[in-house]
Amino acid sequence: MRSLVTGVTGYIGGRLVPELLDAGHEVRCMVRSAGRLRDQPWASQVEVAQADAADAEQAARALEGIDVVYYLIHTMGGGSDFAAADREAATTFAAACERAGVRRVVYLGGLAPDEKLSPHMSSRVEVGEIFLRSSVPAVVLRAAVIIGSGSASFEMLRYLTERLPVMTTPRWVGTRTQPIAIRDVLRYLVAWASVEGEVNRSFDIGGPDVLTYADMMRVYAEVAGLPRRLIIPVPLLSPGLSSHWVGLVTPVPAGLARPLVESLRNEAVCGEHDIARYVEDPPGGLVGLRRAVELALQRIKEAKVITRWSSASVPGAPSDPLPTDPDWAGGSLYVDARARRVDAAPEVLWAVVEAVGGEVGWYSLPLAWRLRGLLDRLVGGVGLRRGRRDPRRLWVGDSVDFWRVEEVERGRLLRLRAEMRLPGLAWLEMRVLTHRGETVYGQRAIFHPHGLAGHLYWWAIAPFHGLIFGPMLRNVARAAERGGLPESGLFPAAPGAFRDGGPKDAVPT
């Protein structure tokens, strides 16, 4: 089966392509700029058609030889003419599908009740009707809130719940909705590439749970291990004010928050489950909200950290982050990144890196590290008492004071995960790099906050980063430039053991 996926740089499209490939389908991706797919790991496995859905000639070329089309284009932000632009694109593309002899169009829209709708939800309904009126059989899947890391609806839920232990909220938090896990959405989409017969209708799709938005925030808090949230609805907040409030509290842009907020005014509960006649429910049933949130947070719980969730590699599950997700997706991640050229061979620098902790210490302000260890022990943590089992070599799983070795790429990367008591997850990365033939030491402190306490913790200690991580950067480099570890194998972990040399030019990691 030959499938064309539009909107491939979006949240659903970027996750649908690898699912279709895994199911054995031939995939062509339609995108306005082919360069945007260049770094996708699956780019070599698909055809790329550079086209605009509103351009009839370009659309015709993209549709040649295609059996099933996935239309995943819809404007979320933008000005007042977004509905006209969506109408024009859908009308032009539907006509192109007719001329190309496409067997089926699959469109993912929104779950809308029979009442006054927001402009964006009305536009989604209109686009679905355009395809249903076409001579090409169309399947319109209507979903409410989609739960998965990177989904705008889920990210808004995530940030509101994590950042506000007590919140005064608009009355739409009491509106009932039927969320659906991203893996169930993708399962439905992929299945329609193979369903036989001419089906031309819409289907409501949702998970097994029907609950209010306030209930969803409480479930998220429970799964994330946050204290129960106190939610106080305030009926005076309009959608416009609500969207600005969401934009203030969360990194979700206000222009994107507004259509999300407006859609939450309407109850979004499935009126039927007819899709089960064509696509059977999985053996274990559809994914419930609690499990969907667990899957969306699993990457963090497994402590596999990356620079930003938006620069992750292709995930192992649909709920994971993707490179095409926006910068605000995936939760907060604070990073203190530093780099410095080193006048030493890479292997000498690596020896210094691998010796960190234990008797050698942390290459900066030993007293501060000892105080942090003492504080950790006072609150029931492990402190610095564990040291390390080998003064020169580290292996994955080793303990290093109050850190655990999470990753070792011998000669290149040491990643430590914090095991001290923290309101979040923390990592320390030390890298040996080369830049234009020169040795470079790269260092990153990374923190994923847990609730409001985590954010406050980061900003409380941020002023001290220059005192801790700045000298650490310089002293690691200085130790390598002095020849690395002496024959005794240890540097003294005492104040003044490492003296700053002259300034070095920093280079980006």
Side-chain angles (χ1 to χ4, degrees), residues 2 15 28 34 44 128 237 256 260 295 343 367 434 448 451 453 457 464 469 482 488 507:
R2 302 192 70 189
R15 287 160 172 79
R28 181 182 299 164
S44 62
L237 290 177
L256 178 57
L260 296 176
L295 292 169
D343 295 331
L367 179 60
T434 57
H448 175 77
Y457 172 82
F464 301 100
F469 297 121
R482 290 175 175 173
S488 64
V507 297

Side-chain angles (χ1 to χ4, degrees), residues 64-379:
E64 290 179 1
I66 292 298
D67 300 303
V68 177
V69 168
Y70 290 94
Y71 193 81
L72 305 174
I73 299 173
H74 185 73
T75 304
M76 286 297 289
S80 58
D81 60 345
F82 73 90
D86 283 345
R87 183 185 310 116
E88 178 186 356
T91 302
T92 301
F93 198 77
C97 289
E98 292 177 336
R99 292 190 295 271
V102 170
R103 185 173 67 84
R104 173 176 292 148
V105 173
V106 182
Y107 171 66
L108 180 63
L111 186 56
D114 296 326
E115 55 185 89
K116 184 178 180 180
L117 302 176
S118 69
H120 281 81
M121 188 59 71
S122 296
S123 177
R124 284 197 158 192
V125 171
E126 182 183 21
V127 169
E129 292 175 346
I130 289 171
F131 284 109
L132 290 172
R133 291 194 301 265
S134 167
S135 63
V136 176
V139 171
V140 176
L141 304 181
R142 309 195 314 167
V145 175
I146 297 177
I147 304 298
S149 182
S151 161
S153 299
F154 176 75
E155 295 302 332
M156 190 171 80
L157 173 71
R158 181 209 300 266
Y159 286 114
L160 286 175
T161 309
E162 289 189 349
R163 295 187 174 185
L164 297 176
V166 178
M167 57 188 107
T168 54
T169 59
R171 60 185 176 186
W172 47 256
V173 298
T175 304
R176 294 197 313 158
T177 188
Q178 192 166 348
I180 184 170
I182 178 60
R183 61 179 54 201
D184 281 331
V185 174
L186 295 175
R187 186 177 58 83
Y188 283 134
L189 288 170
V190 172
W192 279 104
S194 304
V195 173
E196 300 294 333
E198 291 192 1
V199 181
N200 189 70
R201 58 161 292 182
S202 62
F203 295 92
D204 293 352
I205 59 173
D209 303 312
V210 177
L211 62 178
T212 66
Y213 198 85
D215 292 333
M216 291 174 61
M217 287 192 281
R218 293 188 181 100
V219 169
Y220 181 97
E222 291 175 9
V223 174
L226 300 171
R228 184 176 176 83
R229 269 33 193 162
L230 178 59
I231 301 171
I232 307 171
V234 177
L236 301 178
L237 290 177
S238 67
L241 289 175
S242 294
S243 64
H244 286 295
W245 171 71
V246 172
L248 177 66
V249 175
T250 81
V252 179
L256 178 57
R258 176 151 192 158
L260 296 176
V261 168
E262 288 176 338
S263 67
L264 291 171
R265 293 182 306 173
N266 301 117
E267 188 172 274
V269 178
C270 296
E272 43 82 11
H273 189 55
D274 296 349
I275 195 170
R277 300 205 307 252
Y278 301 91
V279 183
E280 293 183 0
D281 290 347
L286 297 170
V287 179
L289 175 63
R290 181 174 295 275
R291 178 57 179 158
V293 173
E294 289 175 352
L295 292 169
L297 299 181
Q298 189 169 359
R299 178 60 61 89
I300 296 174
K301 290 185 177 182
E302 290 176 351
K304 294 180 180 178
V305 70
I306 47 185
T307 307
R308 294 191 64 89
W309 304 117
S310 57
S311 58
S313 59
V314 167
S319 310
D320 288 344
L322 275 185
T324 51
D325 292 344
D327 287 348
W328 44 261
S332 300
L333 197 69
Y334 295 115
V335 180
D336 181 290
R338 302 168 188 264
R340 183 183 177 91
R341 289 188 176 92
V342 180
D343 295 331
E347 58 270 19
V348 175
L349 175 59
W350 174 254
V352 174
V353 166
E354 198 172 10
V356 72
E359 293 184 47
V360 170
W362 295 89
Y363 300 108
S364 68
L365 295 181
L367 179 60
W369 286 94
R370 286 197 290 269
L371 288 175
R372 184 63 182 89
L374 177 61
L375 177 62
D376 192 56
R377 292 187 63 178
L378 289 175
V379 295

Side-chain angles (χ1 to χ4, degrees), residues 356-359 361-389 394 397-406 415-422 424-428 445-446 457 461 468-469 472:
V356 72
E359 293 184 47
W362 295 89
Y363 300 108
S364 68
L365 295 181
L367 179 60
W369 286 94
R370 286 197 290 269
L371 288 175
R372 184 63 182 89
L374 177 61
L375 177 62
D376 192 56
R377 292 187 63 178
L378 289 175
V379 295
V382 297
L384 296 173
R385 58 188 171 183
R386 295 188 307 190
R388 47 181 291 166
R389 62 171 176 165
L394 289 174
D398 277 0
S399 62
V400 183
D401 297 331
F402 44 36
W403 302 84
R404 180 75 61 179
V405 179
E406 184 176 270
R415 180 184 297 134
L416 306 174
R417 175 166 43 87
E419 293 190 333
M420 74 273 291
R421 293 295 183 92
L422 292 169
L425 298 171
W427 296 264
L428 177 62
I446 307 162
Y457 172 82
I461 65 171
I468 299 294
F469 297 121
M472 184 176 183

